[in-house]
Structure formats: structure tokens, C-alpha cells
Amino acid sequence: MQTWAVQDAKARFSEFLDACLAQGPQVVTRRGAETAVLVPVEVWRRLQAVAKPSLKDLLLSDAGRGELVLPERGQARRRQVQEVL
């Protein structure tokens, strides 16, 4: 991955974008600290698909299954209702 200072990335954005498409992800730094990454859209979509499982995947997975704890019936107390005048 190539590293670009934010001012260089701004000034040479077309070159920055071309490098991303040709070489892969490009890192942007601000004051020497890594702050962002420019990635091709195909990589972004693949990462998003992996990060968010579909509803079908969630329902079929064992991770979503667990014991549902229900309170016993008849143990709840009713609250006192005060009459407002």
C-alpha cells in the first residue's frame, strides 16, 4: 500500500485514484498519522457483504439461537392505582 499525505492526495487526486485502481488500497495520512484508506469499489462491496450477514444467514445461524428466559406466570404484582382528584 502506498501512503499519501492528505495535501498530496488532494492536489493529485486523479493520480491518487488511478493508483488505487491499479495498485490497490491507498493510505492517507494527516500529520504523519494514518487516517483513511481509498479502496476500489469492488473491494468495498466485498467487505460490506462480509460485514453484514443477510437476514436469512442470521436466522439459519446457530449464533442467533439461545434460550429465551421468560418470567413465571402469576408472579407479577399489580401496581397501586391512585385516584386523582
Side-chain angles (χ1 to χ4, degrees), residues 51-66:
K52 296 181 193 173
S54 68
L55 178 60
K56 177 183 174 183
D57 293 336
L58 287 174
L59 292 174
L60 293 175
S61 73
D62 289 333
R65 300 173 193 258

Side-chain angles (χ1 to χ4, degrees), residues 18 22-23 28 31 34-35 38 42 49 56-57 63-64 72 74 76:
D18 290 341
Q23 302 168 11
V28 180
R31 297 184 203 110
E34 294 181 342
T35 56
L38 180 67
E42 303 88 30
K56 177 183 174 183
D57 293 336
E72 292 184 27

Side-chain angles (χ1 to χ4, degrees), residues 3 5 7 18 21-22 25 29 35 37 44-45 48-50 53-54 59 61 65-66 69 76 84-85:
T3 302
Q7 60 270 29
D18 290 341
L21 296 174
T29 62
T35 56
V37 178
W44 175 254
R45 287 187 178 135
Q48 288 297 305
V50 171
S54 68
L59 292 174
S61 73
R65 300 173 193 258
V69 180
V84 178
L85 299 176

